[in-house]
Amino acid sequence: MAMISEEHSKEKLGFEETELRLGLPGGGGIVNGDFGKNTNANGKRGYPETVNLKLNLSLKETEKGENLQKEKNLISCSNNAVKPPTKAQVVGWPPVRSFRKNVMAVQKSNSEEGVGGTATFVKVSMDGAPYLRKVDLNMYKSYQDLYGALGKMFNSFTMGKCDSQGMMDFMNESKLKDLLNGSDFVPTYEDKDGDWMLVGDVPWEMFVGSCKRLRIMKGTEAIGLAPRAMEKCKNRS
Amino acid sequence: MAYSFPEEVLEYVFAFLSSDKDRNAVSLVCKSWYEIERWCRRRIFIGNCYAVSPQIVIRRFPEVSAVKIKGKPHFADFNLVPEGWGAYLYPWISAMARSYPWLEEIKLKRMVVTDESLELISKSFKNFKVLVLSSCEGFTTDGLASIAANCRNLRELDLKESEVEDLSGHWLSHFPDNFTSLVSLNMSCLGSEVSFSALERLVSRCPNLKTLRLNRAVPVEKLPSLLRRAPQLVEFGTGAYSAEIRTDIFSNLVEAFSGCKHLKSLSGFWDVVPAYLPAMYNVCSRITSLNLSYATVQSPDLVELISQCPNLKCLWVLDYIEDAGLKALSSYCKDLQELRVFPSDPYGAEPNVSLTEQGLVTVSAGCPKLQSVLYFCRQMSNAALIAIARNRPNLIRFRLCIIEPQAPDYLTLEPLDTGFGAIVEHCKQLRRLSLSGLLTDRVFEYIGTHAEKLEMLSIAFAGDSDLGLHYVLSGCESLRKLEIRDCPFGDKALLANAAKLETMRSLWMSSCSVSYGACKLLGQKMPRLNVEVIDERGPPDSRPETCPVEKLYVYRTVAGPRVDKPDFVWTMDEDAALRLS
């Protein structure tokens, strides 16, 4: 097989000066500056958290050194400087269709305990918004994470209390009644029994396991849910 | 003039041309051939619903009886396209309802279909026969009820992996008692239980039923009743294939399967209990297609089953089959053409099964007709890829997913460039390729140079620089679809190869390094492309021009910028560039 040297072909096409190196994944930043050739046998860059665990330590050390060097040279966009995602957080990878993932997840949970790393996609609708979204609940570790993501997703429609703090307040039972009267939007979900519940009243893992779909309701409509939520809470504790 | 045939003769001749390519070529010969051809074209394929408008299609082809339309880009399957992006069926149906009253077939892929659309279909086309909804969404079982109730001549209803809001199983009962034309029914993606007696009666009264794919809710003990009523079945999909193990259920199944002398394809097998698999052994010798991709069964049981299927052409299976099972496959199934191995535990940190590159190498060596591969695994080597390439130069589709992004050759720790290079060099008929593992710009040089017949290329977490993208766009003469995610490809290669994009159906780039400024420029330079910036962070002009866009979807079109965009999509065109800058 013909082996054209990298340098030769780059000169031919005039790419040397404009050569771009991989920055961070997730679209983060255009990288300027020359890091020199990647002469490592493994040629890895930019994924400290997904490093193949089989590599021995000394390789890992040199890699970390390289990565630090790169991070210093990064010019990234203000709201785009995120750390490399761990495997579980990379959207759409591995490329298994949600249809298949959901089927496998159900079969798995029927035969074993625990959720494992499978994805749980649920639809999210917001009253007044013209289209639905989908979220993978397994991508978030807490209600706060989820609220942040929901807030971003629907930010063109929300006013007032639909931010991280606003939604966090709903977790506080004593504030529930006061807030429901005044707030604009309330996150609710349909659980496995088909009941509509306020988001936040059960431990996070239990929520992920029982949530079938999410609906961000207008606060006034959610008032009827509050007493039930509190009841269910009391019955559980 | 003395030399030209009468129109009727030409029309008669053109009727023998079934491929769109041939018909398109014919229509370019001269104006009169264009006219004759357009009046007699009956089947239309629209690979991108936004490449053309319903009005343009109808104006050119006034007498169409079958349409096939594709909507969202392929990466929508992996949730990379936000909900609400588009691909709505309704405008097509409402236009065709007026202009194609004799439409018989609608086949859709990745479109948003509403109950309203389904109802309109069921009421507008008096001779409607075939509805295939592949990976579609947006409708409920109420829409299916309209189809069942109103389409008196329906032959085919196939819901292939669509996302249906399942309100109840009642829709099936809407098929009228005098409805007997059903040939194919695939309801495997539905959750709710349908009325079993309604299903039994439907199967009984449709003597031409050849394909029946049940959903999970139909239990195994009910299968014999259906199989006995449809011994002419060619394709059958079970429901949940599990029950407490009882000899009467088992023997009923054996007898029922034995009665089906024409069965060629089996699928379903959710929740399968291995003890019930042998009930099918009597039909296995005729089986050519087996979808066990939901069957959580271990390798020995899979091998038992596969060893009974010497005529197997197509196998979809989970990685429970392991290398040992694939070895058995390669020795029993010499006719195998297509193999898909899906991961049972894609997110697990450690392998849960003993399936490696070796399994695929063995199959490539033992199955001389193998042409189509989809393979998920956790390790790969250049040596293995080279062996596969040398064993199987007749490969047409090769999609490899090494689960860890950027995983190197596990033996040498080198990139997998030479391995994939061997694939494109040896497999000269390769039409579809999906890459994974650690890859530098070099692999794209090999692809650009050698992959002359390649039509679709999928790239993820690969490459070092714009050079990689440049190699692909400046080579790959047959490239139609290019989809890229998380690669360091940016402005230079894209702008330098703008003209190439008009020869392709579409380009998808997400989490790459293409700047907003470059997108605007591309939109300005290429008026016949729709350059769509998809960005959920808000308007791209609220950020610097050098800031990369989240997602970019570029496609050729004669319909101009689309009018149904959601608020997170911007089309770059001359007007937009002026308005936004």
Side-chain angles (χ1 to χ4, degrees):
Chain A
M1 202 165 320
M3 303 281 261
I4 305 174
S5 73
E6 254 183 307
E7 292 92 329
H8 174 62
S9 51
K10 276 178 196 155
E11 272 166 26
K12 257 186 12 178
L13 291 152
F15 268 75
E16 215 168 20
E17 279 155 16
T18 57
E19 188 173 11
L20 298 174
R21 290 283 176 183
L22 174 65
L24 294 171
I30 296 176
V31 176
N32 288 329
D34 178 19
F35 299 110
K37 294 275 173 292
N38 246 337
T39 49
N40 277 7
N42 66 357
K44 269 183 169 283
R45 62 241 176 269
Y47 271 95
E49 256 134 83
T50 56
V51 162
N52 188 329
L53 294 172
K54 295 198 180 109
L55 286 179
N56 61 41
L57 276 173
S58 58
L59 269 174
K60 231 180 166 169
E61 291 309 312
T62 47
E63 224 183 279
K64 274 195 179 143
E66 275 194 44
N67 286 337
L68 281 173
Q69 181 60 37
K70 282 169 197 169
E71 273 159 22
K72 285 179 195 157
N73 284 323
L74 279 175
I75 302 166
S76 57
C77 293
S78 52
N79 54 352
N80 222 7
V82 292
K83 66 176 198 280
T86 58
K87 195 161 33 171
Q89 287 174 16
V90 177
V91 175
W93 190 269
V96 178
R97 302 194 46 208
S98 5
F99 183 73
R100 189 169 288 283
K101 271 189 288 210
N102 289 343
V103 170
M104 294 307 299
V106 173
Q107 290 197 112
K108 244 189 156 190
S109 60
N110 285 344
S111 57
E112 327 163 357
E113 287 181 17
V115 179
T118 52
T120 313
F121 282 94
V122 297
K123 290 195 173 167
V124 188
S125 61
M126 176 178 229
D127 289 357
Y131 43 79
L132 300 178
R133 295 307 178 93
K134 262 196 254 182
V135 289
D136 175 4
L137 293 178
N138 280 336
M139 277 184 56
Y140 311 105
K141 295 202 178 62
S142 68
Y143 284 112
Q144 190 147 36
D145 274 356
L146 177 63
Y147 297 151
L150 291 179
K152 265 198 281 179
M153 250 181 235
F154 290 102
N155 74 48
S156 40
F157 300 109
T158 60
M159 308 152 289
K161 293 227 170 58
C162 193
D163 59 1
S164 224
Q165 187 52 48
M167 294 215 217
M168 281 293 284
D169 289 342
F170 285 100
M171 289 178 66
N172 187 330
E173 273 188 46
S174 65
K175 286 193 179 181
L176 258 174
K177 272 195 178 148
D178 298 335
L179 284 163
L180 281 174
N181 288 329
S183 79
D184 291 332
F185 289 98
V186 176
T188 64
Y189 71 102
E190 184 183 5
D191 72 5
K192 283 209 162 93
D193 307 325
D195 295 325
W196 283 94
M197 314 278 293
L198 281 180
V199 170
D201 63 347
V202 300
W204 172 254
E205 286 77 15
M206 202 185 300
F207 165 71
V208 172
S210 62
C211 172
K212 264 172 51 181
R213 55 154 56 173
L214 283 162
R215 179 178 157 200
I216 304 178
M217 276 187 200
K218 285 211 153 56
T220 43
E221 281 194 43
I223 286 173
L225 290 178
R228 236 190 339 159
M230 292 202 210
E231 269 303 306
K232 264 195 170 180
C233 273
K234 290 191 185 112
N235 289 340
R236 282 207 184 101
S237 53
Chain B
M1 287 293 259
Y3 301 112
S4 61
F5 290 119
E7 271 184 30
E8 297 79 22
V9 174
L10 281 171
E11 228 184 270
Y12 182 75
V13 172
F14 292 170
F16 289 97
L17 297 173
S18 51
S19 104
D20 282 337
K21 265 180 120 178
D22 292 340
R23 282 190 162 262
N24 291 344
V26 149
S27 64
L28 290 174
V29 167
C30 63
K31 280 189 182 153
S32 69
W33 280 38
Y34 176 91
E35 278 301 307
I36 297 167
E37 195 282 320
R38 78 183 187 91
W39 278 96
C40 69
R41 193 178 306 207
R42 300 280 170 260
R43 310 186 70 87
I44 304 278
F45 171 65
I46 296 160
N48 172 6
C49 63
Y50 290 120
V52 71
S53 71
Q55 290 69 32
I56 294 173
V57 174
I58 290 168
R59 195 172 64 215
R60 180 170 172 190
F61 300 113
E63 292 188 355
V64 164
S65 61
V67 293
K68 183 168 179 183
I69 311 176
K70 293 188 176 182
K72 299 187 208 174
H74 173 239
F75 273 176
D77 284 357
F78 315 122
N79 294 289
L80 291 179
V81 178
E83 293 274 306
W85 174 81
Y88 303 107
L89 178 66
Y90 192 80
W92 289 90
I93 300 301
S94 99
M96 294 192 297
R98 286 190 293 274
S99 306
Y100 296 151
W102 296 107
L103 190 69
E104 293 180 358
E105 273 185 36
I106 295 175
K107 294 185 179 176
L108 306 171
K109 192 163 189 180
R110 289 189 208 100
M111 301 278 296
V112 176
V113 178
T114 56
D115 286 348
E116 209 185 358
S117 300
L118 291 175
E119 195 178 339
L120 191 55
I121 290 173
S122 76
K123 298 205 165 127
S124 311
F125 308 116
K126 299 300 170 203
N127 203 26
F128 194 67
K129 294 194 172 125
V130 172
L131 183 64
V132 176
L133 301 174
S134 178
S135 309
C136 294
E137 56 164 353
F139 59 104
T140 76
T141 40
D142 285 353
L144 297 178
S146 310
I147 297 287
N150 301 319
C151 300
R152 296 306 165 104
N153 296 313
L154 192 71
R155 296 219 185 124
E156 200 174 320
L157 178 60
D158 186 343
L159 305 173
K160 270 199 216 329
E161 294 181 347
S162 287
E163 246 181 69
V164 186
E165 193 176 331
D166 207 328
L167 301 173
S168 86
H170 199 56
W171 65 274
L172 189 93
S173 308
H174 285 258
F175 283 112
D177 289 336
N178 61 357
F179 169 74
T180 59
S181 50
L182 200 63
V183 173
S184 170
L185 176 63
N186 178 0
M187 45 181 249
S188 53
C189 64
L190 297 178
S192 294
E193 206 178 321
V194 299
S195 150
F196 191 72
S197 58
L199 180 59
E200 272 180 324
R201 278 179 280 119
L202 178 66
V203 169
S204 292
R205 66 178 184 270
C206 294
N208 297 317
L209 191 67
K210 297 277 190 305
T211 299
L212 179 63
R213 302 216 194 259
L214 302 170
N215 67 344
R216 200 173 185 166
V218 179
V220 71
E221 56 266 24
K222 294 207 166 137
L223 297 184
S225 156
L226 292 171
L227 289 171
R228 264 184 238 116
R229 286 159 209 266
Q232 75 282 4
L233 278 179
V234 174
E235 299 182 329
F236 182 63
T238 74
Y241 206 71
S242 65
E244 51 170 307
I245 299 167
R246 279 168 40 192
T247 47
D248 57 332
I249 297 181
F250 186 84
S251 52
N252 281 344
L253 264 178
V254 172
E255 203 193 314
F257 270 117
S258 304
C260 296
K261 309 276 184 215
H262 306 275
L263 266 183
K264 290 224 167 79
S265 164
L266 289 172
S267 62
F269 302 112
W270 291 281
D271 313 312
V272 60
V273 163
Y276 279 111
L277 287 175
M280 300 184 310
Y281 285 176
N282 286 340
V283 299
C284 282
S285 61
R286 284 181 292 268
I287 292 295
T288 56
S289 168
L290 202 47
N291 181 353
L292 294 166
S293 63
Y294 298 110
T296 50
V297 176
Q298 301 306 312
S299 184
D301 296 307
L302 289 168
V303 170
E304 265 294 321
L305 180 59
I306 287 167
S307 61
Q308 316 268 336
C309 306
N311 290 312
L312 199 61
K313 293 200 166 78
C314 175
L315 176 65
W316 291 23
V317 72
L318 286 169
D319 55 10
Y320 289 126
I321 192 168
E322 299 191 328
D323 289 343
L326 290 175
K327 188 167 178 196
L329 176 70
S330 72
S331 66
Y332 289 116
C333 303
K334 294 300 186 187
D335 265 2
L336 194 71
Q337 292 175 11
E338 177 176 333
L339 174 65
R340 295 196 192 192
V341 178
F342 295 96
S344 53
D345 185 17
Y347 304 103
E350 292 300 316
N352 61 326
V353 291
S354 175
L355 179 106
T356 68
E357 82 284 6
Q358 198 45 53
L360 186 55
V361 173
T362 312
V363 176
S364 74
C367 299
K369 298 188 187 168
L370 187 70
Q371 50 176 231
S372 182
V373 170
L374 169 64
Y375 198 76
F376 283 81
C377 62
R378 287 169 189 275
Q379 67 184 42
M380 188 49 61
S381 65
N382 284 308
L385 285 170
I386 292 168
I388 292 165
R390 290 204 175 121
N391 289 337
R392 288 280 63 78
N394 50 323
L395 282 175
I396 296 180
R397 282 171 221 102
F398 188 71
R399 296 158 69 187
L400 180 66
C401 178
I402 306 163
I403 287 177
E404 175 78 35
Q406 302 192 320
D409 176 326
Y410 77 100
L411 295 169
T412 65
L413 298 182
E414 282 173 355
L416 291 169
D417 300 338
T418 43
F420 279 106
I423 294 280
V424 292
E425 212 193 342
H426 289 270
C427 306
K428 302 202 194 300
Q429 302 304 315
L430 197 69
R431 296 203 299 252
R432 183 165 180 185
L433 178 64
S434 300
L435 305 171
S436 58
L438 181 65
L439 297 164
T440 72
D441 287 343
R442 184 156 289 158
V443 73
F444 300 112
E445 190 185 351
Y446 297 146
I447 292 173
T449 313
H450 293 286
E452 290 176 0
K453 300 273 170 76
L454 192 67
E455 296 179 4
M456 182 168 177
L457 180 62
S458 309
I459 309 173
F461 305 105
D464 305 312
S465 73
D466 263 34
L467 203 50
L469 181 59
H470 175 73
Y471 283 135
V472 172
L473 290 178
S474 59
C476 295
E477 304 157 18
S478 309
L479 196 64
R480 292 190 298 115
K481 288 178 279 185
L482 180 58
E483 49 184 24
I484 303 172
R485 61 162 298 174
D486 293 276
C487 295
F489 300 150
D491 302 347
K492 294 277 173 204
L494 193 59
L495 293 172
N497 292 285
K500 170 77 167 182
L501 299 177
E502 259 189 32
T503 69
M504 292 165 52
R505 182 186 296 173
S506 65
L507 166 69
W508 169 277
M509 292 179 74
S510 56
S511 304
C512 296
S513 309
V514 180
S515 72
Y516 174 51
C519 294
K520 281 201 288 188
L521 198 53
L522 187 63
Q524 279 172 8
K525 269 175 83 166
M526 312 292 299
R528 284 188 300 232
L529 295 178
N530 274 355
V531 178
E532 287 190 10
V533 168
I534 300 166
D535 208 315
E536 292 180 281
R537 296 171 297 178
D541 56 350
S542 63
R543 290 179 292 278
E545 278 217 356
T546 49
C547 196
V549 299
E550 271 182 357
K551 297 168 190 190
L552 174 66
Y553 186 47
V554 181
Y555 54 91
R556 66 181 176 191
T557 180
V558 295
R562 57 183 176 113
V563 297
D564 60 357
K565 295 191 291 286
D567 67 356
F568 51 83
V569 175
W570 292 267
T571 304
M572 307 287 103
D573 58 14
E574 289 183 339
D575 293 340
L578 289 170
R579 259 187 278 122
L580 295 171
S581 57

